[in-house]
Every structure is written in structure tokens, then in C-alpha cells.
Amino acid sequence: MGSLYYAREEPTRSLERPANLIRLCDASLAPYGIAPNGPNPSADIDLLRKFELSGSLEGIKNDFFSLGLSGSLSDYFGFTLTNATYTDISESQANTIFNSRAFKSDCKEWRGNVQGQNWGVYQVQTIYEGTLKFERKPINFSLDANASAKIASFEPKLKLALKREANTQLSGKGLVAVFVPIYRNQD
């Protein structure tokens, strides 16, 4: 959690859309006497809704609408992090790690290259873990058989889009790209 990451996109403080974080340099917590807080229980996280609201699924939503279907993808499908827990460190602990690690030669050189590209640099303060669950929701009986077939034919496209966006499998236990970052480009 004390590691620095970057995303190949303009730096932003907005958490409205997902980011594909790539490790920049590592930081072990132990030398700083820092122990993460957690795991702590968390409410389930509706990942599909987050992706939908972020606009990252606009292309696949257009495919959905072109089938003559309406509503939200979340009306028909679910992609949720269940049995979720979070682990974090305080912002002051994160700052201690950052101030010690970010300016060491192995990290500083990489940061310079990344910032030269105007990519975002972040430090993750909180991570969420749990069980990923993808499901097709029960279909409203008022829908005709043709609509049901369209929804079934659309499902593989949605799964592929979600795998790409979430950079993970759609089921099973694991670390998920739900995080609380500290924006580090200004430093």
C-alpha cells in the first residue's frame, strides 16, 4: 500500500472513472514501523454501476441499445465485490513513506519519466478485497423471448468489456481495482 503507481492518462483528482494503475516503485511498510489497519468489513461494491457511471462502458452500452434493449446494464446484469473488506494506512503514514521513497534514485528517475509524459502519479492508501461475482439478473417476465435471447447474446460482450476495464476475472477472490489514491503529481 505504500507503493507509488502511475496511470497512462492525464493526472486527475477525480475518482469518477477507473484507472489502470501500473507499479512505479515499491515501498515496504515494515522499515517505517507502519502496520496496515485492517482488514475491516465493508459494504458490497457495485462495480458494474461504478463502470457505467464513469462512462467507461459507453461503447458496449451503444451495442446494448443497438439490440433494441433499454435501461441500464445494471438492470440486467450484476458485477459486484461481495464479502468486501478494506485495509488502509493513514494519510500521515502514507506521507512518511512517500517522503522517504519517492526521492530515492530508483523511484525518482521513473517518476521523472512518467511525469515527462504527463501521466498521473498516485499512492494507494486503501485497498479493497472480496469475492467478485458476475450474474445475469432474473429477467422480467413481461419481456418477450426475443429480448431474453438478445440479453443472452450480449452477455459475452459485456463480460469481455468488464474483464478489460477491471483488469481481472469476473469471479473468485482477489484484490480489486477499487482504491483510495493520493494524487502525487504536485510533489
Side-chain angles (χ1 to χ4, degrees):
M1 284 189 304
S3 299
L4 293 176
Y5 297 84
Y6 70 97
R8 290 185 171 125
E9 60 186 34
E10 287 188 25
T12 181
R13 292 180 189 275
S14 170
L15 298 176
E16 295 302 311
R17 59 188 207 79
N20 184 14
L21 296 181
I22 303 166
R23 189 179 312 260
L24 186 60
C25 58
D26 291 325
S28 174
L29 301 180
Y32 304 100
I34 296 173
N37 175 29
N40 302 298
S42 172
D44 290 353
I45 299 170
D46 185 342
L47 297 171
L48 180 58
R49 175 70 68 193
K50 285 187 176 295
F51 286 130
E52 250 188 303
L53 292 175
S54 74
S56 64
L57 295 177
E58 285 306 309
I60 196 75
K61 281 176 74 172
N62 290 336
D63 291 348
F64 181 73
F65 296 139
S66 71
L67 293 173
L69 299 166
S70 62
S72 166
L73 295 174
S74 297
D75 293 338
Y76 303 94
F77 301 96
F79 182 43
T80 310
L81 182 67
T82 63
N83 303 315
T85 61
Y86 69 92
T87 303
D88 63 0
I89 58 176
S90 71
E91 188 163 353
S92 67
Q93 291 171 322
N95 286 332
T96 296
I97 294 166
F98 178 79
N99 291 331
S100 176
R101 283 294 298 127
F103 304 101
K104 300 265 189 209
S105 61
D106 65 324
C107 195
K108 186 176 180 180
E109 182 178 317
W110 278 103
R111 284 186 65 225
N113 292 339
V114 166
Q115 288 176 323
Q117 300 293 323
N118 195 32
W119 290 335
V121 177
Y122 305 95
Q123 183 177 13
V124 175
Q125 182 180 0
T126 305
I127 59 171
Y128 289 80
E129 293 180 281
T131 303
L132 292 167
K133 179 182 171 188
F134 179 88
E135 65 179 335
R136 186 174 352 151
K137 293 182 177 177
I139 297 176
N140 182 336
F141 288 108
S142 67
L143 290 176
D144 62 26
N146 187 32
S148 180
K150 288 177 183 179
I151 292 167
S153 71
F154 175 76
E155 184 176 338
K157 289 180 184 178
L158 177 60
K159 284 181 173 179
L160 185 61
L162 287 172
K163 281 182 182 180
R164 198 171 33 248
E165 283 300 318
N167 197 24
T168 188
Q169 295 300 313
L170 299 181
S171 63
K173 187 152 181 74
L175 178 66
V176 178
V178 177
F179 60 94
V180 176
I182 301 173
Y183 173 80
R184 292 296 191 187
N185 274 67
Q186 77 276 12
D187 296 310

